[in-house]
Amino acid sequence: MLKVLNDMAEFFKRCRSPNRLKQLAMLFLLCLAFVVCSPETASTTPDNYMTLTPTGLTNKLGNPLYQLSLYGNGQLIAAYMTVAGRAHTQNYNRHQAGTEAPLPDGKYRVAREPVPGTIPEAGDRFLPIQPLFRTRRSALGIHYDPSFEKPNGEDGTSGCIALTNRADLDQVLNYVRTYRPQYLEVNIQ
């Protein structure tokens, strides 16, 4: 962006027109339009956020499905099916560490970039989320579930939000990079 602005300024310096003030005003308006329309500006609006809500559905192994909805500029951009916790941990204490219950309801700060996954059941990438409220839960995030609907005892998560496949995770991570959501609101209990 800086190179474009420098090139435009250089062009106007070379012009010997009596309308220099008009040219400078046009340069200012072009710069303003460029900033307002750039993807980076999207990060400053509170209308970029994510929500996690129940669907009332379960996968073929009985694990409840939740909908992760992505909003940009106040408009729904996309929605994905996810799991959180495991089928048998849905009613465990959501604020207690180690229960493998789904994450607690509330608002979370969303990291700007994923980190490498450190355990096979979290996949190869992990997007950390940080509770903006008191809880004894930590190390929560968004990833995909390599064991989704596999009868290996690993279907679901230890409390994180997991997409059902790697392609959906790629799309969610692209959304996060582009829109920089201000928060994730979880309302699943």
Side-chain angles (χ1 to χ4, degrees), residues 22-69:
K22 284 183 182 177
Q23 292 170 343
L24 290 174
M26 182 59 77
L27 175 63
F28 174 76
L29 291 174
L30 286 171
C31 293
L32 183 61
F34 189 76
V35 169
V36 168
C37 295
S38 72
E40 292 83 17
T41 305
S43 68
T44 62
T45 175
D47 295 334
N48 297 338
Y49 60 94
M50 306 162 74
T51 62
L52 187 70
T53 55
T55 65
L57 304 171
T58 61
N59 70 8
K60 67 182 182 184
L61 297 175
N63 207 347
L65 295 171
Y66 300 102
Q67 181 171 297
L68 180 64
S69 300

Side-chain angles (χ1 to χ4, degrees), residues 52 94-95 102-108 133 185-189:
L52 187 70
R94 293 174 186 234
H95 288 280
L103 66 172
D105 286 356
K107 282 190 177 181
Y108 294 77
F133 55 91
E185 175 123 22
V186 174
N187 188 13
I188 59 175
Q189 201 163 19

Side-chain angles (χ1 to χ4, degrees), residues 61-184:
L61 297 175
N63 207 347
L65 295 171
Y66 300 102
Q67 181 171 297
L68 180 64
S69 300
L70 313 179
Y71 293 86
N73 301 316
Q75 301 294 315
L76 179 64
I77 293 176
Y80 300 92
M81 286 296 150
T82 67
V83 290
R86 303 193 188 283
H88 68 279
T89 65
Q90 296 296 307
N91 295 320
Y92 290 6
N93 183 343
R94 293 174 186 234
H95 288 280
Q96 180 64 46
T99 62
E100 294 192 343
L103 66 172
D105 286 356
K107 282 190 177 181
Y108 294 77
R109 180 179 304 116
V110 180
R112 298 290 180 230
E113 291 289 329
V115 297
T118 57
I119 59 173
E121 279 306 311
D124 58 348
R125 289 161 299 156
F126 182 87
L127 182 67
I129 59 174
Q130 180 68 39
L132 297 173
F133 55 91
R134 289 183 158 253
T135 184
R136 291 184 297 257
R137 299 292 291 277
S138 61
L140 295 169
I142 300 172
H143 55 86
Y144 86 99
D145 181 7
S147 293
F148 181 73
E149 292 189 329
K150 292 181 181 172
N152 62 5
E154 296 292 333
D155 176 66
T157 70
S158 295
C160 295
I161 301 168
L163 283 298
T164 62
N165 61 72
R166 189 177 295 196
D168 285 356
L169 177 63
D170 289 340
Q171 292 174 16
V172 169
L173 295 177
N174 284 334
Y175 160 82
V176 169
R177 280 193 223 43
T178 302
Y179 288 92
R180 297 174 138 173
Q182 297 298 303
Y183 61 87
L184 162 67

